[in-house]
Structures are given as C-alpha cells and as structure tokens.
Amino acid sequence: MRAPVLILGATSDMGRAIAQRFAAQGYPIQLAARQVSRLEPDKADLEIRYGVAVSVHEFDVLAVETHASFIQQLPEQPAIVICVVGFMPEQKACEQDLSLTLEVMRTNYEGPAVILSLFANVFEQRGFGALVGISSVAGERGRASNYFYGSAKAGFTAFLSGLRHRLAKSGIQVLTVLPGYVKTRMTEGMRLPPLLTAQPQEVANAIFTAIEKKKDVIYVRPIWRWIMVIIRWIPEPLFKRLSL
C-alpha cells in the first residue's frame, strides 16, 4: 500500500489541483491548511471521485513552534510532501506596512523552510521520500514590482538547493518548482499573458511527472527558463531603467 501525499496549503487552487492529480493515481492524500474546516468538502470530493483515503489536518505555516508536533501527530508519515503555501499582497502595500512585509517573508520563506527541514530529518532517517517546494521565478532577480515577495522566494529557492545538495546521497528527492504565472485566486485581477500563464492543473501535472522522473528543478512552462536567462543577464545600468 502506498504511503500518502501530504499537501501543505491545500485550500489553494494549486493545492486542490495537486491533490486531485495524485488521488487520480491512487495515492492516499493528507490535506493540511490553517482553516481545516475548509478542507472537508475537498476531502469528500476526493474520496467519492477517486476512492482513496483522505485525512485533513490543521497547519499554520507561521506557527513554526508547532511544526514538530504537527509532524508527530500525523496518522502516517507521508512519502511525498508538497508545500504550496504562498502569500503575495500588493508591493505598494508592503512598502508602507512593515507587519505585512514580515508576513510575506515568513509565509514564503521561514515557514516553508522550517517544515521541510523537519520532514527532511524524518525522511533522511528512513531513507526515502520526496520534498517539493513551490518557489517562483520572481526569486531569480529582484524587481521593483514585487521585490518583497521575490526576495522571500529567492531565499526559499536557495534553501531548496542546499537541502537537495545535503540529501543527494540519501535517496531523498528535493524538487524546486518554478511555475511562472498561474491563474489562481492569488493572481485574480492581474493582467496575465496567456502564453506565460499556466493553469493549476498544469502545475499539478508537471509536479507529478517531475517526481516520477526524479527531477531537481522545473519550470512549469519551459519558456520561463529562457525568459529568466535573459532577465538575469540584463546589465544593471539597463535593468534599472526598465519597467518590470
């Protein structure tokens, strides 16, 4: 019998799509989010539609002091942990509100890094598993339009890289996912170019395939790899004059 897939941030659109993708392949699912009552409809839907076991768990990514007990209280240790947690308010609002800025940094870096570090220790001891972090292309070069969010994601990308290096000989996969734009509630109201914008189901499919193929880093839409190569190589004097 397969060990379950744990999804942290399971009330998000990407979290829901990922749960469906793995449930469709027969994986038991553990759904975790801060408002656990919101997970009950998804639990019922997954159980009815795919006939898999689903459990729901309260998880607050900002309450890092509770993360160790969260792991201990799971009914079964997962084979795969996928951290979908993210928070991206308006950049201008962050510039004026220090508490909001801290929440962005803690939600997108501190909390995910702490919980995946704890799972890494569990997985390393038993010798198998996969850890998946949803980072962002925004972390590849700071831009005026979103540098608080981008800097937190840059830290998370570096963390995943280091964790992958540490666990390389242990049989534990560490996957960094760089989705680019995704059409979700978090990006609602934003004008997103269709060519560069993935659907949540695309992200879910890309993660499933990447785990099967033991990938390290993926761009959900490959065009983003080349876009970011160009953006990284723009000389700083020119970059400062661009509106990005």
Side-chain angles (χ1 to χ4, degrees):
M1 182 176 176
R2 285 172 163 170
V5 176
L6 170 63
I7 300 167
L8 304 168
T11 55
S12 67
D13 294 326
M14 281 195 285
R16 288 190 167 106
I18 293 165
Q20 291 179 13
R21 183 66 177 88
F22 280 87
Q25 296 300 314
Y27 282 90
I29 302 295
Q30 296 173 335
L31 303 173
R34 186 163 48 186
Q35 295 176 286
V36 72
S37 61
R38 292 177 57 194
L39 296 171
E40 291 295 342
D42 297 298
K43 175 180 185 293
D45 179 65
L46 291 168
E47 289 174 336
I48 292 170
R49 193 183 305 188
Y50 302 109
V52 298
V54 181
S55 58
V56 298
H57 308 276
E58 186 172 344
F59 173 71
D60 184 348
V61 75
L62 297 179
V64 294
E65 70 279 4
T66 68
H67 288 187
S69 60
F70 167 79
I71 294 173
Q72 292 169 357
Q73 291 169 11
L74 289 173
E76 182 181 0
Q77 288 304 306
I80 302 169
V81 177
I82 304 174
C83 184
V84 195
V85 174
F87 179 48
M88 187 179 67
E90 290 285 338
Q91 168 71 21
K92 290 296 183 185
C94 291
E95 293 171 9
Q96 302 301 320
D97 185 343
L98 179 59
S99 63
L100 186 61
T101 301
L102 289 172
E103 187 176 351
V104 169
M105 294 179 173
R106 295 191 64 218
T107 304
N108 292 296
Y109 174 66
E110 181 189 77
V114 169
I115 189 68
L116 291 184
S117 290
L118 294 170
F119 271 114
N121 294 341
V122 174
F123 285 15
E124 188 175 34
Q125 190 169 21
R126 75 181 186 191
F128 72 92
L131 299 166
V132 181
I134 308 293
S135 193
S136 173
V137 296
E140 300 202 3
R141 187 164 188 178
R143 294 178 292 133
S145 58
N146 67 352
Y147 62 85
F148 288 115
Y149 173 80
S151 63
K153 287 296 191 182
F156 190 45
T157 296
F159 163 81
L160 292 168
S161 176
L163 187 63
R164 181 164 46 249
H165 193 197
R166 167 192 154 191
L167 298 175
K169 297 179 181 177
S170 67
I172 313 300
Q173 181 187 8
V174 179
L175 172 63
T176 304
V177 181
L178 302 166
Y181 298 137
V182 183
K183 193 172 181 57
T184 65
R185 284 168 288 170
M186 194 164 75
T187 58
E188 194 171 356
M190 297 173 63
R191 296 177 62 184
L192 304 178
L195 179 64
L196 305 180
T197 305
Q199 297 296 322
Q201 293 78 12
E202 288 180 67
V203 180
N205 290 336
I207 291 172
F208 185 85
T209 301
I211 290 175
E212 283 204 322
K213 294 184 176 180
K214 302 291 184 187
K215 297 278 189 178
D216 296 321
V217 181
I218 60 166
Y219 292 80
V220 171
R221 289 203 170 184
I223 190 173
W224 276 106
R225 181 183 300 277
W226 305 111
I227 290 172
M228 297 317 300
V229 166
I230 294 169
I231 288 178
R232 285 196 301 270
W233 281 95
I234 296 175
E236 195 69 16
L238 173 60
F239 191 76
K240 288 191 294 185
R241 296 199 294 269
L242 299 177
S243 298
L244 293 172

